[in-house]
Amino acid sequence: MSTIQNSIDIVAAQGILPLYFNTNQTISIDVLRTLYNAGIRAVEYTNRGSEAIFNFKKMVEVRNAEMPGMLLGIGTIKNVSQAEEFYAAGADFFISPGFVPEVAVYLKSKNVLYAPGCMTPTEIIAAENAGIKFVKLFPGNILGPDFLSSIKDIFPNLIFMVTGGVDTTHDNIHNWFLAGASSVGLGSKLISKKRMDEADYDVIASETRKVLEIVQTIRK
């Protein structure tokens, strides 16, 4: 299982974090394979339904057999019992829509990355004081790049990822990186329900490669 710093390094180096959920286990695995083959080495599977834990366990099994170097994280963690369940299932990192102090304490004791969602300086301060190093700004479409650029200097020791409403265009991603983001979370704009339902994996793969190339271009 990956350490906190290793997970941060991999997500930040990748520059994007694909995130998705599907009730169908086969589709969930097929999307994971598609992302891996497109060059992704860290994925967030979201805990958005009763099927999530069953799908996740199988995804970890397939990852272990077929995808060396892939970190498989779990999102939408809202309490300690969920964190315990997915830790036992082999999750490499954990992400929440908000900051849950008890989850932070539990995962810190396991040396596993916990990235809470924060929307205000007060929430970010609370997370930082709890030992959090990697913060998810959420929802990004409400906050906007100006918010991040305004607060970045107040939190020089934190690494920020932006999730929620981030687009796959060069301009949108560039604006977030220019504001100080280390990475962006991409959900439905990259892995839409329609693309999953239609098994349009070629499009998911090509769009993923395109975004990875955008990040590389921006960083040059």
Side-chain angles (χ1 to χ4, degrees):
M1 190 169 282
S2 179
T3 64
I4 292 172
Q5 192 59 51
N6 184 58
S7 295
I8 292 173
D9 291 345
I10 289 173
V11 175
Q14 187 168 273
I16 69 168
L17 184 65
L19 57 107
Y20 72 100
F21 170 72
N22 197 288
T23 57
N24 185 285
Q25 188 178 88
T26 300
I27 292 174
S28 297
I29 293 168
D30 287 344
V31 171
L32 188 67
R33 283 197 185 101
T34 299
L35 293 169
Y36 184 80
N37 291 332
I40 292 297
R41 293 299 179 267
V43 169
E44 174 191 342
Y45 192 69
T46 53
N47 180 30
R48 300 250 178 117
S50 58
E51 303 87 353
I53 185 63
F54 303 105
N55 294 351
F56 192 84
K57 288 177 179 177
K58 186 63 177 180
M59 290 165 71
V60 169
E61 182 183 318
V62 173
R63 184 279 308 273
N64 291 346
E66 301 178 16
M67 306 174 205
M70 171 68 97
L71 297 186
L72 185 53
I74 187 69
T76 322
I77 293 298
K78 295 183 284 186
N79 55 59
V80 173
S81 62
Q82 291 174 342
E84 290 172 340
E85 187 172 39
F86 281 94
Y87 177 79
D92 290 300
F93 58 89
F94 294 73
I95 297 178
S96 293
F99 173 51
V100 189
E102 313 89 82
V103 171
V105 170
Y106 171 73
L107 292 173
K108 187 176 181 181
S109 75
K110 302 295 185 183
N111 195 30
V112 175
L113 174 63
Y114 173 52
C118 295
M119 193 180 182
T120 68
T122 300
E123 291 169 340
I124 299 169
I125 290 168
E128 185 177 43
N129 288 340
I132 298 297
K133 299 181 183 302
F134 191 87
V135 169
K136 177 179 84 167
L137 291 182
F138 175 78
N141 57 321
I142 302 298
L143 293 169
D146 287 346
F147 174 80
L148 176 55
S149 61
S150 297
I151 66 155
K152 188 71 169 61
D153 289 345
I154 305 171
F155 302 102
N157 298 318
L158 293 182
I159 299 172
F160 291 96
M161 177 178 72
V162 180
T163 302
V166 178
D167 212 333
T168 58
T169 64
H170 181 281
D171 286 350
N172 189 267
I173 294 172
H174 180 260
N175 287 339
W176 281 115
F177 275 78
L178 194 64
S182 71
S183 52
V184 292
L186 291 170
S188 60
K189 299 290 180 73
L190 180 65
I191 311 165
S192 66
K193 186 177 185 301
K194 183 173 184 290
R195 287 173 181 170
M196 287 191 283
D197 288 347
E198 295 176 358
D200 209 347
Y201 302 127
D202 287 344
V203 172
I204 293 174
S206 63
E207 285 295 298
T208 300
R209 292 190 188 100
K210 183 189 82 172
V211 176
L212 286 170
E213 288 172 6
I214 286 172
V215 170
Q216 290 175 359
T217 300
I218 290 169
R219 285 178 169 168
K220 288 177 183 175

